[in-house]
Amino acid sequence: MEDRRRAAFTLIEVLLVIAILGMLVAWVVPTLLGRADQAKIDMTRNTVASRGPIAQALDLYKLNVGKYPETDEGLKALSERPDSIDEDSNLWRGPYVKDPDSLKDPWANEYQYKSPGDVNTNSYDLWSNGPDGQEGTEDDIKNWKSDR
């Protein structure tokens, strides 16, 4: 009679492969998630920076209207004509942003805006509440340097 060998994996081999895959996932996933979070933070820093896309839109708004939007008008003034500007006026030449969703941070929260700013008293304060979405915490991302 011929010696037939089974061409299959043993239970030990399958368990070993599963254990190795589990260790790889446990090591790789947190690393990738950490990089994704850091990428969101970096992108937000660039967005609120003095040369970022929102700052450019605000500067163009100021060039046309003569002042930055008031705090109560907020960043919405970049996508929709504020009530304070007469429709017959040629001052508002917006929209100044193509997509109103660009006025939300990577965590889907609206960027915060105050004009005149508490810190930038001659212009505006612009910030994101950061990953935790809570204002006034250490992870806030601002257009000014913090004393912390």
Side-chain angles (χ1 to χ4, degrees), residues 101-113:
D101 284 339
S102 67
L103 301 175
K104 291 187 177 184
D105 66 19
W107 303 278
N109 299 312
E110 292 187 12
Y111 285 104
Q112 304 299 305
Y113 172 80

Side-chain angles (χ1 to χ4, degrees), residues 83-137:
D83 292 337
S84 64
I85 299 176
D86 186 15
E87 264 188 60
D88 296 331
S89 166
N90 284 338
L91 293 178
W92 193 85
R93 296 186 183 148
Y96 298 93
V97 293
K98 291 181 182 179
D99 181 13
D101 284 339
S102 67
L103 301 175
K104 291 187 177 184
D105 66 19
W107 303 278
N109 299 312
E110 292 187 12
Y111 285 104
Q112 304 299 305
Y113 172 80
K114 185 171 185 182
S115 176
D118 291 333
V119 178
N120 300 307
T121 55
N122 293 327
S123 59
Y124 57 86
D125 293 346
L126 178 65
W127 71 98
S128 163
N129 290 330
D132 71 359
Q134 302 295 314
E135 188 172 343
T137 58

Side-chain angles (χ1 to χ4, degrees), residues 20-116:
I20 291 171
L21 287 174
M23 287 188 297
L24 283 173
V25 166
W27 178 69
V28 169
V29 169
T31 301
L32 292 178
L33 288 177
R35 288 190 179 165
D37 288 341
Q38 188 58 49
K40 287 180 179 181
I41 291 168
D42 292 343
M43 184 170 68
T44 304
R45 275 195 187 110
N46 290 330
T47 300
V48 302
S50 61
R51 302 237 190 271
I54 296 176
Q56 290 177 1
L58 285 164
D59 288 343
L60 187 56
Y61 179 99
K62 181 183 180 191
L63 185 67
N64 292 333
V65 177
K67 63 181 182 67
Y68 290 112
E70 300 293 329
T71 300
D72 60 332
E73 295 169 335
L75 295 176
K76 188 176 181 181
L78 298 176
S79 60
E80 297 176 17
R81 179 189 305 272
D83 292 337
S84 64
I85 299 176
D86 186 15
E87 264 188 60
D88 296 331
S89 166
N90 284 338
L91 293 178
W92 193 85
R93 296 186 183 148
Y96 298 93
V97 293
K98 291 181 182 179
D99 181 13
D101 284 339
S102 67
L103 301 175
K104 291 187 177 184
D105 66 19
W107 303 278
N109 299 312
E110 292 187 12
Y111 285 104
Q112 304 299 305
Y113 172 80
K114 185 171 185 182
S115 176

Side-chain angles (χ1 to χ4, degrees), residues 6-14 17:
R6 276 176 85 190
F9 295 109
T10 65
L11 180 60
I12 298 294
E13 291 170 326
V14 171
V17 169

